Amino acid sequence: EVQLQASGGGLVQAGGSLRLSCAASGLIFDDYAIGWFRLTPGKDHEGVACISSSGTSTYYTQSSQGRFTISRDNAKNTVYLLMNSLEPEDTAVYYCAAQRDDGAAWYWDLDMYEYWGQGTQVTVSS
């Protein structure tokens, strides 16, 4: 059974930092690209950051570029999302997801993600 376990969320003041983790099991981790997405009430899933299966390529949105850093440790089957300079607008449930790495063209396509974690709540107070 494939599992993605997202953790590390919490309550932080604006300007603060959090590091999210996504621990995977039950799959050949090195074959999968990982994406972080977030969901706020009334909105669709919003992409945050993606990383290739090897970890050599990373992708960000305009909102996350420069503030967030995605990385992975394939030896630990874990992907990280370091979030700095957090803003109240970053408040959301954050999900990690895995897709077989068929190239970066698919990284922002939610339908290509086979497996999803349960989400972790991030709340940024002003």
Side-chain angles (χ1 to χ4, degrees):
E1 179 187 6
V2 175
Q3 288 190 336
L4 297 179
Q5 184 74 35
S7 62
L11 174 63
V12 64
Q13 287 189 329
S17 299
L18 283 174
R19 190 179 79 157
L20 307 184
S21 298
C22 176
S25 60
L27 74 172
I28 302 175
F29 192 64
D30 302 32
D31 288 346
Y32 286 80
I34 303 294
W36 282 99
F37 298 86
R38 64 190 184 187
L39 188 64
T40 55
K43 293 185 178 181
D44 292 331
H45 278 91
E46 177 187 4
V48 177
C50 303
I51 188 166
S52 63
S53 55
S54 66
T56 55
S57 299
T58 57
Y59 302 87
Y60 301 92
T61 63
Q62 188 172 7
S63 175
S64 61
Q65 180 75 48
R67 299 188 300 130
F68 296 0
T69 302
I70 188 171
S71 61
R72 65 190 293 159
D73 184 341
N74 283 355
K76 296 182 178 179
N77 284 13
T78 301
V79 169
Y80 305 98
L81 182 69
L82 175 62
M83 305 187 295
N84 294 322
S85 302
L86 283 163
E87 304 166 351
E89 292 74 23
D90 295 316
T91 295
V93 178
Y94 284 71
Y95 297 86
C96 59
Q99 65 166 262
R100 288 188 180 275
D101 196 342
D102 287 328
W106 305 106
Y107 287 179
W108 297 115
D109 188 339
L110 272 70
D111 291 337
M112 294 299 293
Y113 285 88
E114 299 174 58
Y115 307 108
W116 289 80
Q118 85 288 3
T120 184
Q121 176 71 48
V122 171
T123 302
V124 184
S125 63
S126 58

